[in-house]
Amino acid sequence: MAQGRRIAIYGAGYIGLVTGACFASLGHHVTVVDIQQERIDMLNAGRVPIYEPGLAELLRDHGDRLTFTVDGRTAAARAEVVYVCVDTPPTVSGDADLSRVWNVVRVLEGAERLQAVVTKSTVPVGTGARIRAALDGMGLVAVGYGSNPEFTAEGRAVGDFMNPDRVVVGAADDATARLIAEIHQGVNGPVVVMDVESAELTKLAANALLATKISFANEIANLAEAVGGDAASVLQAVGMDHRLGAHFLNPGLGYGGSCFPKDTTALKTLAGSAGYHFQLLAAVIEVNSLQQRRPVIRLKEALDGLSGRTVAVLGMTFKPGTDDMREAPSRVIVGRLLAEGATVRCWDPLAPDVSGAEPWSATTRHHSPIEALQGADAALVATEWPALQQVPWQEAAAAMARPLLFDGRNALDPAEMTAAGFTYLSVGRADLPPR
């Protein structure tokens, strides 16, 4: 194991906390900085403000090498390496909001021990050059700069960090590249070194390609519904081609979360700002937007209108294994159901309290799927939580006003659902009546 470095990580969100905990497990001394005092107080009290499998255990087991603070300037003064892991949300124009990144850069002035600044946040190509110029302007000419984008998926972020497909290191000089590679010693994955601009583009390109596969799968599913055929069988066979691969070829409700929507938009905006119309990506984004509305159209047709109907939405987070609600398809679905005049009842095992936010303020939250289904005219699976496999569906069908279910994730067995008495609708497959 390499000699432990003193690392300051700015941002105590999903990426910052996972990065900090994993670096601590590798023997480094880590200070995690955040502007939210409440979040830092929780961490200092041993409570984790987000849900991510394995994270709480890492923070507990390596707490002797972890510090949490809101004092960014002191953390920078003591650090050898600074990692920027703050949010970069899209602005009205579609560009990334880099205000939090620049807030971190400003506190670095006078950091005498600092050897390198590394950005893990997703930023537009060219951001690194601007940060390099800012560091030079503050007299930090000898401080290296690097881009080390993250490729972790929520719900398995710890495993992705420690056993990655690759560790991408973008650096303008060999010394910085070696330093970033060194602090990753113990991580089980190859290090790929490139220039900063290429590293910045790699993150956007990877997520855009994954989003493209998701939208393609949904287009095939929609076509299968129109002409016949089972999209799941088609895409399984397609994915067996070694040139293509099966990952992300599952039809459903489209992509969501903190990365795909933001990064596809960011790459499209970047291309437009460079004078290039990224036609493929524009179509990918449009397909995803329409896909999130299709379940409401299907239920509206099946119920001969949604006004006055009650719909149970099963799942609120953008995917199982996380409590993250950002850009979840359920938000669009619920908004559309309410706009059509439906009453919406929701269930999710991990989603945070969002009762004060739109559109959730007009819904009711329930403790179990059965409770949410009570008296409903239809059910809609929006997140494929494993708990749905344990629902007594025959009992659920009897509890509903009408046993109609749209499985937006193709998570349930069609034969079992029809045997339980449901009219079963899904994505890319024929509708099935109850048996």
Side-chain angles (χ1 to χ4, degrees), residues 55-138:
L55 177 59
E57 292 78 5
L58 274 184
L59 293 173
R60 179 196 64 211
D61 294 346
H62 303 286
D64 58 328
R65 289 192 290 274
L66 282 160
T67 304
F68 306 99
T69 183
V70 294
D71 187 350
R73 194 167 292 279
T74 298
R78 296 173 177 172
E80 297 172 84
V81 181
V82 157
Y83 259 80
V84 182
C85 300
V86 296
D87 287 345
T88 55
T91 63
V92 175
S93 65
D95 297 296
D97 180 358
L98 299 179
S99 59
R100 296 175 180 85
V101 173
W102 290 114
N103 286 341
V104 175
V105 173
R106 279 190 283 271
V107 304
L108 304 182
E109 189 167 10
E112 296 179 356
R113 301 181 183 179
L114 194 58
Q115 297 179 28
V117 176
V118 186
T119 297
K120 191 167 279 291
S121 301
T122 303
V123 297
V125 179
T127 301
R130 294 171 60 195
I131 294 176
R132 173 73 271 165
L135 295 174
D136 292 345
M138 291 189 293

Side-chain angles (χ1 to χ4, degrees), residues 156-189:
R156 59 171 195 266
V158 171
D160 285 348
F161 187 100
M162 298 303 295
N163 299 282
D165 295 324
R166 73 294 199 200
V167 177
V168 173
V169 175
D173 61 273
D174 292 340
T176 301
R178 285 195 300 271
L179 175 57
I180 298 173
E182 173 200 305
I183 63 178
H184 281 85
Q185 286 186 21
V187 168
N188 183 31

Side-chain angles (χ1 to χ4, degrees), residues 294-332:
R294 283 182 64 83
V296 179
I297 296 171
R298 298 279 301 279
L299 288 181
K300 184 178 180 180
E301 293 172 348
L303 292 171
D304 193 25
L306 288 167
S307 181
R309 304 291 191 179
T310 297
V311 180
V313 175
L314 305 178
M316 298 164 64
T317 58
F318 86 94
K319 72 175 189 176
T322 181
D323 60 352
D324 197 346
M325 296 282 291
R326 287 177 289 182
E327 301 297 330
S330 62
R331 186 177 185 275
V332 174

